[in-house]
Amino acid sequence: MAKAIDLPRNESGIKTVMDVLKQQFGDRFQTSASVREQHGHTTTWIANQMPDAVVFAKTTQEVSDIVKACAAHKVPVIAFGTGTSLEGHVNAAAGGISIDLSQMNKIIQVHSEDLDCVIQPGVTREDLNTHLRDQGLFFPIDPGANASLGGMAATRASGTNAVRYGTMKDNVLALEAVMADGRIIRTAQRAKKSSAGYDLTRLLVGSEGTLGIITEITLKLQGIPEAISSARCSFPSVDAACQTVMQVIQFGIPVARIELLDTLQVQACNAYSGLDLPETPLLLLEFHGSDAGVVEQAETFGAIAEEFGGTGYTATTSTEERNALWKARHNAYWASLGLRPGAKGISTDVCVPISRLAEIVVAAQERLEELGFLAPIVGHVGDGNFHSLVLVDENSPEEMTKAEDYVSWLAETAISMDGTCTGEHGVGQGKMPYLVKELGEATDVMIAIKRALDPDNILNPGKVVTV
């Protein structure tokens, strides 16, 4: 398991703050090892760094009170949603206090006529969509895991629908946040656009809890489409599948989802989800629109796929069949672990311009074969983003070293192709080594912003940039 870097601890400050918060929060202040471990470790391969205590907040004012206490004694504070992040985002590198926001889970307002809603950060995407369904609305960002929307905003999440609906940065209208000194700010109003001052909303979206703690979110919503059609098509190679994707995007077909599963991933999904898909590279798609529109989109895709050797193309509007396919896709992580029982899954992602997608996916497969790894590849390939899950024996130093080398190689290869070291996982701890390579002196600007807004470096220290 990769070891995270420990930062200096403020022992006396931590002890003082713990005494203060214990008195204020009673049973909602927890120091048991199991609770602390849960809040320091997520679905990551980075070693666990537990906080010294966890506080379960229920209101924005409580978050402000916690941060003020921590600021007064220069104690780290880390926001926690559901713990589904992949790059060590919630590790407590210098100890301190974890603020669990899961009990801040109210849907405050839904403005159906304006296609927006106001929610607390602990609301999960599935809970929000269940609440919206009867109003004919939905929130489209779908990272797979049932993540909290506060965490999704903090990490600038995206997922399977991003090719049509964008990422969190495109779907957050405004935020309420607690800053490093405990002040509560609002970044914008509900208007769909504004030229009023700096865009603090997008500064905080993707800041991973290092600039402020999100306590309320105003989100854009979409109308549930009149018709939804899902499709699948098998290909003779990953290159053929990627070339098809490139043609589909260049032709302007408004696909809502277009996902790649390589042969290994298809094998894993068949075994785990009881499917009988042909065990060759596969594209899963979804079309949204009118009844006539989705039929036309599906037919156009089928013609393009045929040019690149696509076979077994089928499309369906059956809700049951669609749900079975997408459930299998969302279970891809757990399905992959079954390919090597007992192995640890090291998940990494990159994103490149779509014209380079086929090249980098093929290169990644060749590199993995050279290293002798089982590593399924899946991707939100409509926007050039894919994930590689390397299955390793975490008790083998040799395998762990090779895995780290592969992660580094993939990040640097993507950057060399005018891409990014992370399309949606975020930086956290795991991707910090590549940020300077990708953005150069822009990271100095990030550091300046961090120092200006958090001069004592108490908000999620040791993440994104080093200060």
Side-chain angles (χ1 to χ4, degrees):
M1 182 161 300
K3 187 180 187 310
I5 297 174
D6 292 314
L7 299 179
R9 291 172 54 85
N10 175 5
E11 299 290 358
S12 62
I14 290 171
K15 183 180 184 306
T16 300
V17 166
M18 288 176 67
D19 290 340
V20 169
L21 296 178
K22 173 61 177 174
Q23 290 185 356
Q24 182 176 355
F25 289 92
D27 291 343
R28 287 191 284 133
F29 176 87
Q30 297 286 323
T31 57
S32 70
S34 60
V35 172
R36 291 165 53 221
E37 182 178 12
Q38 175 194 352
H39 287 76
H41 187 55
T42 60
T43 47
T44 179
W45 65 308
I46 299 169
N48 194 329
Q49 294 173 305
M50 296 189 295
D52 292 278
V54 178
V55 184
F56 293 82
K58 291 185 176 181
T59 67
T60 297
Q61 188 57 55
E62 287 186 346
V63 175
S64 175
D65 292 343
I66 296 165
V67 173
K68 284 178 180 177
C70 289
H73 299 280
K74 299 184 179 180
V75 170
V77 57
I78 304 102
F80 184 95
T82 57
T84 57
S85 59
L86 291 159
E87 298 292 347
H89 293 87
V90 297
N91 264 346
I97 307 300
S98 173
I99 303 181
D100 187 308
L101 302 167
S102 61
Q103 295 182 25
M104 294 179 64
N105 59 359
K106 293 183 176 64
I107 298 170
I108 300 169
Q109 294 173 319
V110 176
H111 306 103
S112 56
E113 66 279 11
D114 293 323
L115 294 177
D116 70 53
C117 67
V118 182
I119 62 165
Q120 290 185 313
V123 176
T124 66
R125 66 172 186 87
E126 289 182 3
D127 286 344
L128 178 60
N129 279 324
T130 297
H131 182 86
L132 294 171
R133 188 177 300 138
D134 291 344
Q135 301 180 59
L137 302 172
F138 81 113
F139 181 70
I141 308 306
D142 174 13
N146 187 26
S148 69
L149 287 153
M152 288 170 60
T155 55
R156 200 159 56 228
S158 55
T160 59
N161 281 318
V163 64
R164 175 160 182 163
Y165 297 103
T167 72
M168 285 300 286
K169 74 176 176 61
D170 305 302
N171 288 277
V172 175
L173 289 170
L175 295 170
E176 176 187 82
V178 174
M179 307 308 285
D181 59 2
R183 282 181 300 167
I184 301 168
I185 70 164
R186 187 165 187 84
T187 62
Q189 302 280 57
R190 285 199 301 118
K192 285 295 189 290
K193 65 180 183 179
S194 172
S195 296
Y198 299 143
D199 192 345
L200 298 181
T201 304
R202 282 174 178 76
L203 179 63
L204 291 179
V205 171
S207 65
E208 303 182 12
T210 63
L211 301 179
I213 296 177
I214 296 168
T215 54
E216 190 176 285
I217 314 165
T218 303
L219 295 169
K220 293 181 184 178
L221 302 176
Q222 301 288 332
I224 295 175
E226 173 188 335
I228 300 174
S229 173
S230 289
R232 61 181 174 87
C233 188
S234 299
F235 290 85
S237 67
V238 163
D239 180 71
C242 290
Q243 295 294 341
T244 301
V245 172
M246 188 162 57
Q247 286 291 309
V248 166
I249 300 303
Q250 289 175 349
F251 270 54
I253 301 174
V255 288
R257 293 168 163 172
I258 184 163
E259 298 283 300
L260 168 71
L261 287 71
D262 76 351
T263 300
L264 262 182
Q265 188 62 72
V266 175
Q267 291 171 353
C269 288
N270 277 345
Y272 186 85
S273 299
L275 303 177
D276 60 354
L277 299 169
E279 294 185 347
T280 62
L282 178 76
L283 289 180
L284 295 179
L285 304 97
E286 192 164 273
F287 308 102
H288 294 177
S290 65
D291 288 329
V294 297
V295 170
E296 181 181 2
Q297 293 169 39
E299 289 177 350
T300 304
F301 171 81
I304 294 172
E306 189 175 357
E307 292 180 17
F308 292 94
T311 58
Y313 176 58
T314 59
T316 179
T317 57
S318 162
T319 300
E320 183 177 325
E321 292 176 9
R322 287 193 294 106
N323 288 345
L325 277 177
W326 291 109
K327 184 177 181 181
R329 168 61 185 91
H330 286 327
N331 286 335
Y333 175 86
W334 307 110
S336 298
L337 297 180
L339 292 172
R340 188 180 179 185
K344 179 74 176 179
I346 297 175
S347 181
T348 190
D349 86 310
V350 295
C351 188
V352 296
I354 197 166
S355 61
R356 307 297 297 272
L357 178 64
E359 181 182 354
I360 192 171
V361 173
V362 171
Q365 286 189 314
E366 292 173 349
R367 183 76 171 206
L368 289 163
E369 187 174 350
E370 290 172 7
L371 294 169
F373 280 128
L374 278 175
I377 287 176
V378 298
H380 315 309
V381 287
D383 45 21
N385 179 208
F386 74 95
H387 306 255
S388 182
L389 186 70
V390 186
L391 301 174
V392 300
D393 176 1
E394 60 185 322
N395 296 312
S396 168
E398 179 184 0
E399 285 196 23
M400 294 301 288
T401 297
K402 287 198 299 182
E404 290 185 52
D405 289 345
Y406 169 75
V407 169
S408 296
W409 170 85
L410 186 61
E412 291 172 2
T413 300
I415 292 167
S416 74
M417 294 181 174
D418 292 330
T420 176
C421 65
T422 175
E424 61 184 17
H425 285 189
V427 176
Q429 295 172 320
K431 294 294 178 76
M432 286 178 68
Y434 317 112
L435 204 58
V436 173
K437 294 177 182 178
E438 181 174 328
L439 298 175
E441 293 187 3
T443 56
D444 292 337
V445 178
M446 294 183 188
I447 291 169
I449 293 170
K450 169 70 170 172
R451 286 175 174 162
L453 297 182
D454 183 16
D456 293 320
N457 192 27
I458 67 165
L459 293 178
N460 208 10
K463 317 296 167 58
V464 186
V465 291
T466 302
V467 295

